[in-house]
Amino acid sequence: MVLGRMIRSEQTLLGTFMALGVTRSEIIRHYVIYGIIPGIVGSVLGLGLSVPFTKAFSAFYIENDYEKLIYETEYNIPACLVALLLPSLLYVLTVWIVSRKLLKASAIELLNNTGKDTKTINILRKRRIRTGLKLKVRSIVGHPGRSAVTVLGVMIASILLLLGFVMKTLMTDMMENGIKETIGYEYLYYLNYLGDMDTIPEGSEGASPVLSVYYEIPASTNQVNIWGVDKSSEYFKMKTMDGEDVDLNGYYITNVASNVWKVKKGDTLTFYSIADLSEHSVEISGIIDDNMHTYMYTSIENASRLAGFDGVHYNAMVSGTSIPISADIVASTVVMSEHSALFEELMGPIDAVVYIIIVFGALLCIFIMYLVINMIVGESKTGISVMKVLGFSKKEIGNRVLDVNMILVIIGFLVGIPLTFKVAEVGFADTIEEFGIYFKAELNLRTAVGLLIGFVIIFIAYEISLLLQKRKIAKINMVEALKENRRNE
């Protein structure tokens, strides 16, 4: 787009070349070089910067993991060659198409600059509306390519910016709904034996017995952990996503389990015992809002029956506080607050990536808006000069020339909102099957705040680009109008 406008702005010079006998193919070959140079330079710089960046990113992400890995950064040579050559080819193709189309005109037409855009001038020409509004409509409607690039650029910048806020919100919601809200206990003691409900271990007063058994799901790499819970336990006072109380006589699965195995309330879930491969099928009574655990909750009696036990048994104890249970019968202990802290620590590198995405989106918006507004100022140089001759103030000129893109910025931002949620949904789709974690991208109060902050950042980026261009407008001399009038005589 920039190269195309540069070529069109030099059509008087092209007419001079053609009048002097320079062939069209020679002129096209000359401008093709303009496409090769930025393509090659940009590709080389991009590839050069990607090497230290990918190494630093890999080291930062992996070395912050809880398990240290030995790795070596490798690069795909064919992909590097494509990244090196493709931009140059696209630049060359664009320049060839634009210059070939422009050079269809004769030398006289190019010298007289008869290729001016007269359609834009005729927009709302006979309508009696405010001049400022008429100029804004002409700037937007009369230049559909430029308007489309503005909307597309702001949309991409908004997606990057909002994606960072949405990712941050998803991780926060997962922490609160996956660990802190649905888990009502602090200590989980896995026992090294199978206990009978008639005999509770000494020192476990105030704790609740549970039976935790894993089962295989057909055609799935994830297992379901069925939790048999004592109906009188104070640590499992949960509600479904419909707001109903959980009746442990039924079978309730978490939200992530519902999405992994595509089942909902009223559906039947089939699973197999790992020990004897016996098949079981239960009807799902409801969905619990937990996006982090592939659990099924039921009564300890139902869980014991599914496991094939005679009577009611348990293999773990849960408690709100530490209990003086004998270490000889405890296989492992899980402290939920430490579990949450560990998960938050593991999310640290992702937080850094999120902030990088937000900053990059803001910078991209500034770059795009600066580029587009620079085009507007360049094309409106004569009009700005005329406004100065007529005595328009800097503010009035800015309102008529620069502020026309605000509506396009809003449109690009609004279009980017649903696309952001779609990108987040697609990007986190594999976390369900791979890790058993469900990132639910939805509009809620926290994401709405993130969207509002994102719009404020986009607006600030837009104002910064305007501020940078106002200096250029101040340098435009009033004699530009006389120069243009002399060219048309």
Side-chain angles (χ1 to χ4, degrees):
M1 184 175 181
V2 176
L3 290 172
R5 290 182 178 275
M6 182 192 71
I7 295 173
R8 283 191 287 270
S9 66
E10 296 180 350
Q11 60 182 16
T12 303
L13 182 61
L14 297 182
T16 303
F17 286 153
M18 293 177 64
L20 294 174
V22 181
T23 64
R24 287 179 170 82
S25 60
E26 290 175 329
I27 296 176
I28 293 175
R29 194 181 310 118
H30 167 75
Y31 280 106
V32 162
I33 298 176
Y34 282 113
I36 296 176
I37 293 175
I40 293 178
V41 173
S43 299
V44 171
L45 288 176
L47 284 175
L49 292 174
S50 67
V51 173
F53 179 79
T54 51
K55 289 183 177 180
F57 179 81
S58 300
F60 174 76
Y61 191 85
I62 296 176
E63 290 177 9
N64 279 277
D65 201 355
Y66 68 96
E67 183 180 356
K68 302 300 180 182
L69 300 175
I70 299 175
Y71 69 95
E72 181 179 354
T73 305
E74 296 182 354
Y75 300 93
N76 189 310
I77 300 302
C80 292
L81 291 176
V82 171
L84 183 65
L85 299 176
L86 185 60
S88 299
L89 293 176
L90 293 177
Y91 269 116
V92 169
L93 180 62
T94 302
V95 172
W96 183 80
I97 293 174
V98 173
S99 57
R100 189 171 182 271
K101 180 180 179 181
L102 183 62
L103 292 175
K104 288 182 179 179
S106 65
I108 296 177
E109 291 174 329
L110 293 175
L111 286 170
N112 291 330
N113 204 8
T114 55
K116 285 186 174 181
D117 186 8
T118 56
K119 295 181 180 179
T120 302
I121 301 176
N122 292 327
I123 295 176
L124 300 178
R125 186 174 184 176
K126 298 181 180 180
R127 296 293 182 91
R128 293 186 177 181
I129 59 177
R130 291 187 295 111
T131 304
L133 178 60
K134 186 180 294 187
L135 291 175
K136 290 180 179 180
V137 173
R138 287 177 178 177
S139 180
I140 295 173
V141 179
H143 301 85
R146 188 179 68 199
S147 299
V149 169
T150 304
V151 173
L152 182 63
V154 174
M155 181 192 72
I156 295 174
S158 299
I159 291 175
L160 286 175
L161 187 65
L162 298 179
L163 186 61
F165 287 108
V166 170
M167 289 172 63
K168 182 65 176 176
T169 300
L170 291 178
M171 290 187 293
T172 303
D173 286 343
M174 184 182 65
M175 284 295 303
E176 294 182 354
N177 296 331
I179 296 179
K180 298 178 181 178
E181 281 193 8
T182 57
I183 304 300
Y185 52 88
E186 174 64 11
Y187 290 87
L188 169 60
Y189 301 91
Y190 286 105
L191 307 180
N192 54 21
Y193 74 100
L194 189 64
D196 191 287
M197 286 293 288
D198 296 332
T199 57
I200 302 299
E202 183 179 352
S204 62
E205 292 77 10
S208 295
V210 295
L211 178 62
S212 174
V213 182
Y214 282 91
Y215 292 86
E216 296 282 356
I217 302 293
S220 175
T221 58
N222 294 105
Q223 297 176 330
V224 59
N225 186 1
I226 297 183
W227 277 60
V229 179
D230 187 357
K231 296 178 183 178
S232 61
S233 175
E234 61 178 303
Y235 302 113
F236 297 93
K237 303 299 182 182
M238 300 173 291
K239 290 183 177 293
T240 66
M241 297 182 67
D242 297 330
E244 302 173 350
D245 292 329
V246 172
D247 180 7
L248 291 174
N249 290 317
Y251 299 88
Y252 296 82
I253 61 173
T254 58
N255 190 35
V256 61
S258 172
N259 283 274
V260 168
W261 300 308
K262 308 301 180 184
V263 292
K264 57 183 183 297
K265 180 180 178 180
D267 291 345
T268 299
L269 180 64
T270 301
F271 47 90
Y272 297 89
S273 171
I274 298 177
D276 58 10
L277 298 181
S278 58
E279 180 180 326
H280 305 277
S281 296
V282 298
E283 181 180 331
I284 304 303
S285 305
I287 310 297
I288 297 174
D289 192 10
D290 180 351
N291 295 327
M292 199 169 176
H293 307 101
T294 51
Y295 287 175
M296 177 188 292
Y297 292 97
T298 186
S299 66
I300 196 169
E301 292 81 7
N302 288 341
S304 297
R305 179 181 55 80
L306 289 172
F309 299 149
D310 294 329
V312 181
H313 297 272
Y314 62 90
N315 60 1
M317 305 290 292
V318 296
S319 175
T321 58
S322 178
I323 57 176
I325 190 171
S326 175
D328 295 334
I329 64 173
V330 176
S332 63
T333 303
V334 178
V335 182
M336 302 313 298
S337 59
E338 295 178 359
H339 185 60
S340 301
L342 176 61
F343 186 81
E344 289 178 353
E345 183 179 349
L346 294 177
M347 291 295 104
I350 299 181
D351 281 345
V353 174
V354 167
Y355 292 130
I356 291 175
I357 292 175
I358 292 174
V359 172
F360 184 75
L363 293 177
L364 180 62
C365 182
I366 294 176
F367 173 76
I368 292 172
M369 293 311 306
Y370 179 84
L371 186 65
V372 172
I373 295 175
N374 185 60
M375 293 179 186
I376 295 175
V377 173
E379 294 172 353
S380 307
K381 187 179 295 185
T382 302
I384 294 171
S385 178
V386 171
M387 291 181 195
K388 287 187 175 183
V389 172
L390 296 176
F392 283 81
S393 66
K394 293 181 180 179
K395 183 178 180 181
E396 290 174 327
I397 295 175
N399 290 337
R400 285 168 168 78
V401 178
L402 299 180
D403 293 345
V404 297
N405 286 298
M406 190 59 200
I407 182 65
L408 300 178
V409 171
I410 295 175
I411 293 174
F413 180 80
L414 293 177
V415 172
I417 292 177
L419 294 178
T420 299
F421 285 101
K422 189 64 179 179
V423 170
E425 180 182 344
V426 173
F428 287 120
D430 61 338
T431 60
I432 299 178
E433 188 66 27
E434 294 293 331
F435 307 107
I437 298 176
Y438 176 49
F439 289 94
K440 186 179 180 181
E442 62 179 358
L443 183 62
N444 52 35
L445 181 59
R446 185 176 279 118
T447 53
V449 172
L451 296 180
L452 180 61
I453 296 175
F455 179 75
V456 172
I457 294 176
I458 291 290
F459 179 77
I460 293 174
Y462 174 68
E463 289 297 324
I464 291 174
S465 61
L466 290 182
L467 183 62
L468 295 174
Q469 287 296 335
K470 284 181 180 178
R471 295 181 180 179
K472 187 173 182 179
I473 289 180
K475 295 179 180 179
I476 296 178
N477 202 304
M478 288 186 288
V479 299
E480 288 293 332
L482 298 176
K483 291 180 180 179
E484 181 66 20
N485 184 62
R486 187 176 299 172
R487 293 190 194 104
N488 294 333
E489 288 178 349

